[in-house]
Amino acid sequence: MIAVLGATGFIGAALTQQLASGDEPVRVLVRDRGKAEDRLGRFADRVEIITGDMHDPAALDALLDGVRAVFVLVQTVTARQPSTAGGYADAERQAMQALVAAARRAKVRRVLTVGLIGASPSAANPWVRSRAELTQALLDSGLDVTVLRAGLVVGIGGTGYDWLLAVVRGESSVVLGGGGQRWSYIALSDVVGYLVDAIDEPSTFGKALDVGSLETPTYSELLSRTAVAIGRRPPRPLRLPLRLVVALAPLIERLGRLPKGGLRTAILHLGDDLIGDPLPVRALLARDLLDWEQAVAAAAVPGRLAGVAG
Ligand SMILES: NC(=O)c1ccc[n+]([C@@H]2O[C@H](COP(=O)([O-])OP(=O)(O)OC[C@H]3O[C@@H](n4cnc5c(N)ncnc54)[C@H](OP(=O)(O)O)[C@@H]3O)[C@@H](O)[C@H]2O)c1
């Protein structure tokens, strides 16, 4: 039995569909059963769905009972959290502590998650710093942890990619930041493939591994290349300084009852370079990664999550 936390999310839904197309039983913990059934589509019937919040030890015990590996694909910056969970960083830290404790109780040793490429404890962005600390805490837990750290994940439903596509299609004229930020990227199907391949690969245990493209095009180059790939004219977007956009974030956080400071830090992260070292993982997990144009084409196939089987 394999468990997934975050199965209603962009990466988590694609991963759950992929796992559910195999032979091993899959169990997910979600906050909203209807949303999970909608996101998992025809795979929902093949998955055991339990409901609850990731901060609830009893819900985590139910998720992990009898499983041999758990995937953690959650984020707290733009997802509503219980009022007792504090800000976005506290909410994530508490949830990871609860998960590690539950994994120990259930004797689940294998934990796999997706982090932020190149995340360093000295990063300027507070979310990236807190993620780097959480990654270290997970690696120090004594469990068999693998953290795959990604830049932009290419697929419909991914916040960064959806935004980029909206600019190219002319649905949004706002380019965040100067457009000169450099991004490593990876297709959704490749992240999912790496996660699945890593489950039983001991050489990935106890490691944080950057995954994705070796090339790091600028955001402006990605806009132009996407326009060519989907047969559009390259966009002439309005460049808005991030500090103007983030000025609205506290209001949106209040109205949406989102964790304090989360949206602000997530928007600011869109202006960061997303650069790491994706070479080491290639020596451990063999995979021919899609390039940008292939990833954009895969994302455009209706009814499929960027090439995920099924
Ligand atoms: N998308 C990218 O391009 C990208 C790039 C690099 C790294 N990552 C990392 O990959 C991971 C997954 O990202 P994503 O884009 O797939 O995220 P996402 O689409 O926003 O999904 C987040 C998931 O977390 C769940 N969640 C949040 N709070 C929860 C709680 N208190 N209890 C239970 N579930 C909770 C959400 O459930 P609800 O549906 O109930 O809200 C949702 O299923 C994150 O760690 C993210 O930082 C993503």
Side-chain angles (χ1 to χ4, degrees):
M1 169 84 78
I2 307 271
V4 181
L5 189 52
T8 52
F10 167 55
I11 300 174
L15 172 75
T16 304
Q17 290 181 327
Q18 182 73 55
L19 293 171
S21 66
D23 293 332
E24 193 164 3
V26 180
R27 184 188 291 141
V28 300
L29 173 65
V30 297
R31 299 192 283 191
D32 181 337
R33 173 178 287 272
K35 182 175 179 181
E37 288 171 349
D38 186 44
R39 292 303 317 272
L40 299 177
R42 67 191 178 83
F43 294 93
D45 287 347
R46 299 202 214 163
V47 173
E48 183 187 342
I49 301 176
I50 54 177
T51 53
D53 190 280
M54 64 181 175
H55 297 90
D56 175 4
L60 291 171
D61 286 345
L63 174 70
L64 297 184
D65 184 30
V67 317
R68 71 180 184 95
V70 58
F71 289 95
V72 181
L73 295 158
V74 296
Q75 55 86 11
T76 56
V77 282
T78 58
R80 209 175 274 187
Q81 297 304 312
S83 55
T84 49
Y88 68 91
D90 284 339
E92 197 164 57
R93 192 177 312 110
Q94 284 176 28
M96 288 311 108
Q97 286 169 349
L99 180 94
V100 167
R104 290 194 179 120
R105 284 195 296 278
K107 305 205 174 349
V108 177
R109 290 207 51 80
R110 189 76 179 110
V111 179
L112 302 100
T113 187
V114 176
L116 306 178
I117 196 166
S120 149
S122 57
N125 184 298
W127 180 37
V128 180
R129 281 202 303 275
S130 109
R131 266 303 175 85
E133 285 159 14
L134 268 184
T135 294
Q136 196 52 52
L138 268 181
L139 293 173
D140 292 344
S141 68
L143 301 174
D144 296 330
V145 173
T146 300
V147 183
L148 299 181
R149 307 195 311 172
L152 175 69
V153 180
V154 183
I156 302 298
T159 312
Y161 184 69
D162 281 355
W163 203 318
L164 186 145
L165 206 55
V167 174
V168 173
R169 287 178 172 157
E171 293 154 11
S172 165
S173 55
V174 176
V175 170
L176 296 176
Q181 64 270 49
R182 292 195 166 273
W183 282 8
S184 173
Y185 60 82
I186 183 165
L188 177 59
S189 57
D190 285 326
V191 177
V192 168
Y194 269 138
L195 284 168
V196 172
D197 291 350
I199 300 179
D200 295 313
E201 181 44 66
S203 66
T204 66
F205 293 10
K207 293 201 173 85
L209 298 160
D210 293 333
V211 293
S213 62
L214 298 179
E215 64 159 347
T216 53
T218 64
Y219 192 81
S220 297
E221 286 163 357
L222 288 177
L223 289 173
S224 304
R225 284 171 65 175
T226 308
V228 172
I230 66 170
R232 293 251 173 183
R233 248 172 229 243
R236 293 172 151 245
L238 182 70
R239 295 192 192 287
L240 267 195
L242 282 173
R243 62 192 152 74
L244 286 183
V245 183
V246 295
L248 291 172
L251 178 65
I252 301 170
E253 285 167 7
R254 263 204 307 281
L255 293 176
R257 288 189 284 135
L258 299 176
K260 196 162 178 240
L263 184 62
R264 182 175 193 282
T265 192
I267 292 173
L268 286 172
H269 186 50
L270 292 170
D272 287 344
D273 288 336
L274 306 180
I275 295 178
D277 178 9
L279 276 179
V281 76
R282 296 178 183 210
L284 308 178
L285 300 170
R287 173 158 289 276
D288 283 332
L289 298 183
L290 300 187
D291 67 19
W292 181 259
E293 283 69 21
Q294 291 167 327
V296 169
V301 177
R304 294 184 75 194
L305 288 165
V308 171

